[in-house]
Amino acid sequence: MRINFKIVKNGEQISLRDAIKEKYVSITDEGICNTSENIKIFKSTGLYDYNSKEIFENDILIDNKGRKYKVVNISGTFCIKGIGKNKDFEPFALNGLKLINRVDGLEIIQ
């Protein structure tokens, strides 16, 4: 089974290979650990937006009506939570929105 991660250093995405080489992250029996406070590690949801772009936790998605959502992990389940004018939207499991392996009607904007 393949698990993808997005690694961000000071707001810029870097590869896992570079993060390990520069000792920003380490791999242990427990998983991937960041060794620098400037590093953030985000796990893939295993799903793709309707443009076939992989969705990671913390991504910002937008629907066809302009509503924005943040991808969050709640108790091991990837959910979307409304932000901005849409902040009262209750978290909703992403896997409930999927069509095959793509999330219907949502696009990554950030």
Side-chain angles (χ1 to χ4, degrees):
M1 179 169 112
R2 180 183 169 125
I3 300 173
N4 291 330
F5 294 90
K6 177 168 60 172
I7 301 173
V8 178
K9 178 182 183 249
N10 296 326
E12 203 168 305
Q13 188 171 341
I14 62 172
S15 71
L16 177 59
R17 178 173 287 147
D18 287 344
I20 292 169
K21 181 180 170 187
E22 296 296 328
K23 298 186 172 91
Y24 297 139
V25 300
S26 63
I27 298 176
T28 68
D29 290 339
E30 288 79 40
I32 296 177
C33 306
N34 60 333
T35 58
S36 169
E37 61 187 48
N38 297 330
I39 293 291
K40 295 193 184 317
I41 303 170
F42 303 106
K43 187 176 177 185
S44 171
T45 64
L47 299 171
Y48 297 83
D49 73 357
Y50 73 87
N51 290 318
S52 299
K53 212 170 150 189
E54 191 168 12
I55 300 173
F56 291 85
E57 64 183 311
N58 211 47
D59 278 350
I60 304 297
L61 308 177
I62 189 168
D63 66 16
N64 54 8
K65 294 183 181 174
R67 295 177 292 209
K68 294 180 183 175
Y69 307 89
K70 184 173 188 174
V71 178
V72 294
N73 190 326
I74 300 174
S75 301
T77 301
F78 288 106
C79 301
I80 55 172
K81 184 176 181 184
I83 57 174
K85 294 180 183 177
N86 197 28
K87 69 181 174 191
D88 293 332
F89 178 83
E90 291 293 322
F92 190 84
L94 262 176
N95 62 4
L97 299 172
K98 81 177 190 171
L99 177 65
I100 305 173
N101 241 14
R102 292 182 359 171
V103 178
D104 192 32
L106 293 173
E107 177 184 5
I108 299 170
I109 59 168
Q110 187 177 355

